[in-house]
Every structure is written in C-alpha cells, then in structure tokens.
Amino acid sequence: MMRFWKIGGLLCLAACAHGSEAPPPTERPRETAHYTVTIFDNFGGARVRVCLEPATMLELVPIDDSASGQLRGAWSDGTPLDTTNGRIRLQQASGTPCVDYETRFGRSWFRARGSSAVVLSQTQWLWRPDPFPRELDATVRFILPAGGQVSLPWPQSHALYFPDASAFFTDTYGVFGSFDRQAFSVGGTSVVVARLGDQPSDDEVRRWLGRAVRTVASVDDRFPRDRLHFVLVPVDSPAEQVAFGMLRRGGGSSILLLPSLDATVSQLEADWVAIHELSHLWLPRLYSEGRWLSEGIATYLQEVLRARCGLQSADRAWTRLREGFARGRRSGTGRALASESRNMNRTGAYHRVYWAGAAFAFEADVRLRQSSRGEMTLLAALGRAQRTSGAEARLVSASVFLEALEEASGAGFIEELGKRYAARSSFPDTTFMDLPEYRDVRAQIMESAEGACGISAESSR
Ligand SMILES: [Zn+2]
C-alpha cells in the first residue's frame, strides 16, 4: 500500500477500513449460516436474510464497528429486533432460525470513469454470528439487479460463495455492478480479475498480472497462494503508471490496483505497485507496530525482484533503494520505529516506516548471504517461513514472525537485528551498501534469475 499521500481522498479508507484485530474465538461446535443478499437501490444497499442452524448464536455483529451505523433495521418474521450499537440481538427471534436485516452502503471510494460498478468491503453488508462458532459452514448467495454481477475472493461454486472464518473478521474487496471479469491461471495459481472500465484489455491484463505473479513466485519457485483476486479501477494518472495498490485478506487475497489510463502494458509490467502488493503474501499479516517489517520487506522485494526478473536494471534498483533510504531519513516524527509504525496513518510517516523497514531487509539479506557464503538469502528464508505459516489471515506480532524467519534461515541474528530496528528512533545507517567490499554481495542480490522468473510463453507475449 503506497502512494496514498498523493491521493488524499483514499486515505480514510487506508486508515479506517481495517477490520477487527481480534482473532476468531475458538469455542462451540460446527454450525451453519446461509446468507441470501439482495442488492437494491442501484447498488446502494443490501437486504440480507441469514438462516442459522442450530439457532444458538446470540447476536449478529458488524465485522468493523465503523459499519454499525449503516444498519437500518433487523426483523424476525417481520417483528423488529433490538439493534443497539449495530448489534442484532437474536434471543428475541423466538425459535425461528432466519433473520432479515438491511444495510445502506457508505460511499464507494473507488469508481472508474464510465463504470457503474462499485468496489465495496464486505463489512458493508456482512454481519457475523456472535459468539462465532469454532466451525461454521457458511454460504452466501446474491440476488442482483438486472445485468449486475458480483466478484469476491472467496471460493465459489456456481452462484454460491463459501467464505471461511477469516471473511467474518478481516475486510476484503468485492465488486458489484456491471464490469468485466476474467479468469486465468499462472503456474498453480487461479487468478480472477474484475476490471471496471475498458482498459487495459483482457490480453494486457493477463500479460501484466501474469508476469507480476511469476516475478513474485521467483522468491521460492512457487506462488504462496492457490487463488488470487484482483480488482482493477483504471484512473487518470498522468504521472504514475499505477496510482495506488492495496491488499486485503478476508476470506482470500484480494488486491486493488488503480492503473493509469495512459499506461502501456510494458509500463504496467515494469511498475512496482503490483509486485509490492503480491510480495506481501510471503509474510503473515502483522499488527500495526510490525508494519515496518511487512512494508519494509515488500518495499525491498519490489526493487530486488524486478531487477532479478528483468523488469528494471540492477543500477536502477540500487538508485531507487538509495533514494528511498534518503527519503526515509528525511521523514518521520522521531518515534522508535515500532511506535512510528503504529501511528503511521495518523502522522503520515510512511516514508520513514517503509524505508527503515527496507533497510532492515537489505541488512538481513546481506548478512545472511555473507554468513552462509551465499547459501542462504532473505528470499529463501521468506519462502521457508511461509511454508510453515501457510495462508492464514490471522494477525501475528513482529517478534513471532522474526522468530520464524530466524528459524527458517538457520542464522542466529535475525531476531536481535529486528528488535534493534524496532526500537531505533534514528534512521539506520545504510552507507555500507556503497563500500567496495560489498561489491560481490551487491551483484548477487540483483543477479538475473530469469530461469526462476518463469518468463516464457503466456506471460511474455
Ligand atoms: Zn505494502
């Protein structure tokens, strides 16, 4: 997620749209929840019927408290239910397993010129049972206005979606309305792309995003997810090829990208935003004080992977890292990096957090390569650590992830190095990167890895 400092209007979404940080609780036996969601009023709201079996859940609650004001009412057999604070009390439902509720959508932040489709978080219409069952079999079926479609990152069979537990705790992007939807696969990963507006063309989308997925897969010769969902909203952005990008993980990986209407497919391929967002999938979701680590590693990878896979030269990658470190050094509020990360959406210290984190990634990569005589790298450690953590959407602390990285790398310094960065209030020293004795390791970091980048057939057309 970057470039938001240039798109002020999107900032609230970036800052405010995060779902609850609490992990799903684990109690009670397997239950079912079947949702039928009728979208009405020109995609302005939803009437939802949810049938719960057995009817032992006490309330339906919003995923994100900020959506509670959008609830217009709830009924059981036509009788109004108590909806204080946006929570629907079910004990009044007197034995009937189905409840109706109605929400109005807040303003859609992302609209493409000439498109009537809206990009919405599921927190606008999905209320979850509470207490949340340990195992819930949930289905969601949509009834849409004529000509309307829906696209979500959840497993789907025909008209039925099957959201997992994370879809009830972590927000994600969905698209409603009239839009282009295409599906293809890259290696073993199924990709669905919902595009608002006419461009880039289907072929260009396949080429751009196919190559981005392969580039990020080069970290460990595989992509860390079986399924990916993209939402493309083309915008006027003369200065940048991709004006904005953001990843959400509720029920699956959904990446929103705002490509410029002026960008050619080669420019889109060479741009860093899609690579950055996809790189996040090598890491778990981290709590806000650990964002220096997740954003830092994604920022480092966006430069290194593009150089390794021929999307930019090694010289340009080093220049961009040097310039980024200089920007990071100039920004910030003097807080320790962990605290700077926690307060970033309020203080705007994005450059400090992203680039101090990238300096950590760079130092860790250099030290891993040197201490192992080139046998271990940050990329290999990320790949190994991800095999252990899997695709969970659960939030993890920076120290847990650093421990996993240390174990995966077999090196004894990662946790200590990470702790030092997290506590540091001045920008780290990166001047060693230009010393002559680091010339070899610099060359290794940006060394072409086209064999691992899978640049062939479909993706390089
Ligand atoms: Zn990011």
Side-chain angles (χ1 to χ4, degrees):
M1 173 176 65
M2 278 188 85
R3 290 190 182 163
F4 25 63
W5 47 85
K6 295 190 177 163
I7 306 178
L10 301 179
L11 198 58
C12 181
L13 189 94
C16 315
H18 294 278
S20 159
E21 292 204 345
T26 52
E27 55 217 39
R28 291 176 178 259
R30 178 178 286 273
E31 304 187 19
T32 63
H34 299 296
Y35 291 78
T36 304
V37 181
T38 305
I39 305 292
F40 71 106
D41 190 23
N42 193 25
F43 302 98
R47 288 195 191 99
V48 182
R49 163 158 283 213
V50 52
C51 299
L52 305 164
E53 293 275 4
T56 53
M57 296 164 255
L58 298 176
E59 291 185 315
L60 290 168
V61 301
I63 294 171
D64 186 331
D65 285 341
S66 68
S68 57
Q70 274 140 255
L71 186 66
R72 288 294 176 265
W75 303 267
S76 170
D77 277 340
T79 305
L81 298 172
D82 180 357
T83 58
T84 307
N85 298 326
R87 302 171 74 94
I88 303 167
R89 309 273 188 278
L90 298 181
Q91 59 267 49
Q92 300 166 24
S94 62
T96 167
C98 297
V99 171
D100 299 289
Y101 63 89
E102 184 176 313
T103 72
R104 303 294 303 194
F105 301 152
R107 185 174 141 225
S108 172
W109 288 91
F110 303 106
R111 269 193 193 270
R113 202 170 54 188
S115 167
S116 60
V118 293
V119 180
L120 284 175
S121 164
Q122 93 283 24
T123 60
Q124 302 268 318
W125 53 265
L126 185 64
W127 262 236
R128 73 163 176 257
D130 188 75
F132 195 78
R134 184 169 52 195
E135 289 184 275
L136 179 71
D137 289 331
T139 62
V140 180
R141 189 169 67 90
F142 290 95
I143 298 171
L144 298 159
Q149 305 177 80
V150 58
S151 192
L152 283 159
W154 303 340
Q156 182 191 6
S157 176
H158 302 291
L160 217 51
Y161 281 98
F162 301 91
D164 69 14
S166 73
F168 291 88
F169 289 86
T170 305
D171 77 334
T172 194
Y173 297 118
V175 189
F176 295 91
S178 174
F179 56 90
D180 175 273
R181 189 169 188 269
Q182 66 166 320
F184 53 94
S185 57
V186 183
T189 302
S190 305
V191 180
V192 169
V193 183
R195 185 194 65 211
L196 286 65
D198 296 333
Q199 63 180 88
S201 71
D202 283 0
D203 279 354
E204 290 169 338
V205 166
R206 263 171 116 101
R207 180 174 142 182
W208 166 33
L209 297 179
R211 185 143 179 198
V213 171
R214 287 176 202 269
T215 297
V216 174
S218 75
V219 166
D220 194 36
D221 243 352
R222 67 189 171 97
F223 192 77
R225 294 294 184 281
D226 297 333
R227 292 180 297 110
L228 270 176
H229 182 253
F230 287 95
V231 178
L232 302 185
V233 184
V235 291
D236 281 315
S237 169
E240 284 159 339
Q241 321 306 345
V242 181
F244 184 73
M246 202 183 314
L247 164 70
R248 287 287 183 259
R249 309 203 203 202
S253 309
S254 191
I255 295 177
L256 174 77
L257 295 169
L258 273 54
S260 166
L261 286 162
D262 298 327
T264 65
V265 65
S266 304
Q267 288 173 324
L268 292 173
E269 273 188 309
D271 188 84
W272 57 269
V273 177
I275 311 281
H276 174 101
E277 299 308 332
L278 289 166
S279 292
H280 273 295
L281 293 171
W282 285 112
L283 289 91
R285 285 175 72 220
L286 297 179
Y287 284 103
S288 58
E289 65 265 28
R291 287 184 62 194
W292 64 272
L293 189 55
S294 52
E295 295 301 349
I297 290 176
T299 300
Y300 181 66
L301 290 181
Q302 92 203 8
E303 303 307 332
V304 170
L305 297 181
R306 284 189 301 153
R308 283 162 48 85
C309 293
L311 293 167
Q312 69 178 350
S313 69
D315 281 350
R316 182 169 147 77
W318 287 119
T319 300
R320 284 183 51 92
L321 286 173
R322 255 183 231 108
E323 289 174 353
F325 293 149
R327 274 199 300 279
R329 196 167 280 117
R330 286 195 300 269
S331 97
T333 66
R335 290 172 168 85
L337 188 53
S339 169
E340 196 80 282
S341 301
R342 197 167 43 240
N343 293 291
M344 176 171 74
N345 287 338
R346 200 161 46 77
T347 63
Y350 298 106
H351 285 307
R352 179 52 156 261
V353 169
Y354 281 55
W355 288 103
F360 165 81
F362 173 54
E363 183 170 349
D365 200 10
V366 166
R367 287 181 58 180
L368 282 173
R369 287 168 189 270
Q370 287 184 326
S371 62
S372 68
R373 298 182 187 278
E375 293 294 308
M376 179 47 65
T377 69
L378 179 64
L379 277 59
L382 284 168
R384 282 191 195 179
Q386 195 277 334
R387 279 175 203 269
T388 315
S389 68
E392 271 198 55
R394 197 167 50 94
L395 278 156
V396 165
S397 71
S399 58
V400 165
F401 177 64
L402 285 166
E403 192 184 332
L405 212 51
E406 173 150 327
E407 195 172 315
S409 68
F413 64 87
I414 299 277
E415 284 187 83
E416 184 275 331
L417 184 68
K419 269 192 202 131
R420 209 145 37 79
Y421 269 74
R424 182 184 240 151
S425 53
S426 60
F427 197 84
D429 180 12
T430 54
T431 51
F432 70 94
M433 71 188 288
D434 290 317
L435 298 175
E437 56 264 43
Y438 288 89
R439 191 187 305 128
D440 286 352
V441 75
R442 278 202 307 269
Q444 287 162 18
I445 287 171
M446 300 298 181
E447 195 170 25
S448 168
E450 296 218 353
C453 299
I455 301 167
S456 62
E458 174 189 282
S459 66
S460 63
R461 261 187 309 152

